[in-house]
Amino acid sequence: MEGTRHALAFFLLALALLFCFADCSGHAELSSTHSNGRVQEERRNEGVATSWCIAKPSTDDESLNHNIEYSCRQKGVDCRPIQPGGSCFNPDSIISHASFAMNLFYKSAGKNYWNCHFNGAGLIVTQNPSWGTCKYPT
């Protein structure tokens, strides 16, 4: 009888620890971010880490063009800044325009890592890619 009581107490303690761990671990997310071609692990709490989605420099122009067209067609994505005269038109390069459009999609879709995949052409960074008059939204 004494052994059964100890086993039950141990089981209840283990169950309580399991529930506590499950509840506590839900507040932080372990995610991968890509910076300069390397994978870095970062612990981030909801709403604390800031990230942007940019185009991988090695992506071919056809894929970048497709990503611009796709991103700019989505609800909540305003690509006017990359049009002639816009604040992010210069430098007038496909990689620059694709990065801006892909980030707009990433932001509007919820900033989940899968919103920056773009068939392997997206890269999540934690350093703000804004420059001059071109401001990337967070």
Side-chain angles (χ1 to χ4, degrees):
M1 186 76 159
E2 184 80 22
T4 306
R5 203 176 301 170
H6 287 297
L8 181 60
F10 178 77
F11 174 74
L12 291 174
L13 178 61
L15 190 60
L17 287 172
L18 179 65
F19 283 122
C20 179
F21 178 75
D23 183 50
C24 295
S25 67
H27 296 295
E29 177 185 0
L30 185 62
S31 65
S32 293
T33 46
H34 305 274
S35 175
N36 299 329
R38 295 185 326 224
V39 176
Q40 299 173 340
E41 293 296 310
E42 79 172 5
R43 183 100 140 142
R44 70 180 172 120
N45 292 317
E46 196 66 31
V48 174
T50 303
S51 60
W52 294 265
C53 176
I54 62 169
K56 282 185 182 173
S58 59
T59 307
D60 63 273
D61 288 358
E62 184 179 342
S63 296
L64 293 173
N65 232 353
H66 174 75
N67 292 339
I68 292 170
E69 291 172 8
Y70 174 80
S71 297
C72 292
R73 283 194 312 260
Q74 304 307 307
K75 183 177 182 177
V77 175
D78 178 10
C79 288
R80 287 180 289 187
I82 60 173
Q83 300 301 315
S87 60
C88 294
F89 181 72
N90 288 314
D92 183 11
S93 69
I94 188 90
I95 188 109
S96 186
H97 293 173
S99 292
F100 190 79
M102 290 163 65
N103 185 66
L104 290 175
F105 173 79
Y106 173 68
K107 178 184 176 282
S108 71
K111 291 179 76 170
N112 300 297
Y113 69 89
W114 56 85
N115 302 128
C116 186
H117 188 263
F118 293 97
N119 292 322
L123 192 63
I124 296 175
V125 297
T126 55
Q127 186 173 5
N128 190 338
S130 298
W131 53 271
T133 62
C134 183
K135 305 297 181 204
Y136 279 59
T138 55

